[in-house]
Amino acid sequence: MRVTLRQLQIFRAVAQTGSTTAASDDVALSQSATSAAINELERVLGARLFDRIGKRLLINDTGRALLPNAQMLLDGAQSIEDGFESDGNRTTLDLRLAASTTIGNYVLPPLLASFRTELPLAHFSLRIGNTQDVANAVTDFEVDLGLIEGPCHASGVTVLPWREDELVIVAAPRHPLAQAAKHNKLTLKQLRQVQWLLREPGSGTREAAEQALIPHLHHLPADMTLGSSEAIKNALVQGVGVSCLSRYVVQDLVAAKRLCILPTKLPRITRRLALIHHSQKHLSRALLSFIAHCRTALQES
């Protein structure tokens, strides 16, 4: 066998970083040795895996086809090593996670803290983006696990339903709709006539709000589009418009009476949060233990 696991490890690092210089730090080699390893792998396979653009190495279609198989082999090798540890359990682990903004900012931090209580040497790398960003990271094997709050439209991804999240319509207490809601539930006509603050396209919160509200309101014009729920919260506090956000996001400001949940004649709005991984991803014991922890924490909460 001419292809080695070390070559595949170096190939993965270059694919993820885009250069042999950056990858050399990850694989503990010099830049020249990293470059030589890539050249040798391409020679053995008889195919170019990267396009050379200046000093950048951009993975091409051949390299992208190889990457899932390389990842499976590397994960399998790691699993073999894990299985032969003396105590039978990993005392350390290193997981790469990606979470959409509501989960990453509000749901995941306590889960990571409680998991670290069980495994003090657990290490996490977390990136936060919208649902589409997370799905892209999973399909590109840039992360081990994604946590999303919207539907996953990516192919080649396994979706594990996780927990329910309630979306609520909120505004500042001094907003005219908040004043009107003190006497009666808001009508659909009233909701059609206000300024809506929405997340950007690709956001799970944006997609869930549109799917829930448009059938009743017939349209949902974004008078203001903001790239984070925090920005929307801060605008709402200033009395600008209304929004539909996760209860996780607004519960602090609602408790502080800086925002209020508006009672309406709409049905209760919920969505399903999910865990996602590449369908060809090998689920290591470390990853499985973290998934189990997420589900156990849900049952206990």
Side-chain angles (χ1 to χ4, degrees), residues 90-109:
R90 296 196 71 178
T91 56
T92 63
L93 59 87
D94 188 355
L95 291 179
R96 301 167 301 160
L97 307 175
S100 50
T101 52
T102 296
I103 298 175
N105 288 321
Y106 300 97
V107 181
L108 194 53

Side-chain angles (χ1 to χ4, degrees), residues 31-272:
Q31 185 277 331
S32 58
T34 301
S35 180
I38 292 298
N39 291 336
E40 175 61 15
L41 178 60
E42 290 181 326
R43 187 193 68 78
V44 168
L45 295 177
R48 287 275 186 169
L49 304 175
F50 298 93
D51 293 325
R52 275 69 173 174
I53 310 296
K55 294 184 178 180
R56 299 277 300 167
L57 291 182
L58 302 180
I59 190 168
N60 59 25
D61 58 325
T62 304
R64 287 193 297 272
L66 172 62
L67 187 57
N69 292 325
Q71 184 69 57
M72 282 194 297
L73 288 171
L74 293 170
D75 287 344
Q78 183 64 61
S79 181
I80 291 173
E81 291 183 359
D82 295 343
F84 282 88
E85 292 186 0
S86 58
D87 60 1
N89 293 299
R90 296 196 71 178
T91 56
T92 63
L93 59 87
D94 188 355
L95 291 179
R96 301 167 301 160
L97 307 175
S100 50
T101 52
T102 296
I103 298 175
N105 288 321
Y106 300 97
V107 181
L108 194 53
L111 288 175
L112 297 182
S114 56
F115 194 70
R116 283 289 296 269
T117 300
E118 298 178 10
L119 287 176
L121 298 181
H123 298 285
F124 298 96
S125 173
L126 172 64
R127 65 165 70 177
I128 297 177
N130 63 34
T131 292
Q132 183 175 323
D133 295 331
V134 175
N136 290 341
V138 168
T139 57
D140 292 340
F141 277 98
E142 295 175 357
V143 297
D144 301 308
L145 184 71
L147 301 92
I148 60 172
E149 60 213 45
C152 181
H153 305 295
S155 60
V157 171
T158 297
V159 179
L160 308 174
W162 183 27
R163 63 167 69 184
E164 184 182 86
D165 179 28
E166 181 183 10
L167 297 179
V168 292
I169 297 177
V170 289
R174 67 178 183 273
H175 190 279
L177 274 195
Q179 297 298 315
K182 291 180 179 180
H183 308 291
N184 295 290
K185 289 185 177 180
L186 298 175
T187 66
L188 300 184
K189 180 178 180 180
Q190 287 173 301
L191 293 174
R192 293 187 188 112
Q193 295 174 343
V194 297
Q195 292 182 319
W196 284 91
L197 277 61
L198 299 178
R199 286 287 307 279
E200 78 287 356
S203 158
T205 296
R206 168 72 174 262
E207 185 169 357
E210 289 179 335
Q211 289 180 348
L213 297 177
I214 289 177
H216 300 280
L217 305 183
H218 307 311
H219 71 296
L220 193 64
D223 293 282
M224 191 178 296
T225 299
L226 300 175
S228 75
S229 297
E230 285 295 315
I232 291 179
K233 285 168 57 177
N234 291 331
L236 292 174
V237 167
Q238 301 303 316
V240 180
V242 301
S243 190
C244 183
L245 295 172
S246 166
R247 186 178 286 273
Y248 287 117
V249 171
V250 301
Q251 59 189 359
D252 57 340
L253 292 184
V254 170
K257 298 185 177 180
R258 300 180 66 196
L259 289 178
C260 61
I261 296 174
L262 303 179
T264 75
K265 294 185 178 181
L266 290 167
R268 185 169 178 262
I269 304 172
T270 63
R271 62 180 174 179
R272 177 64 64 177

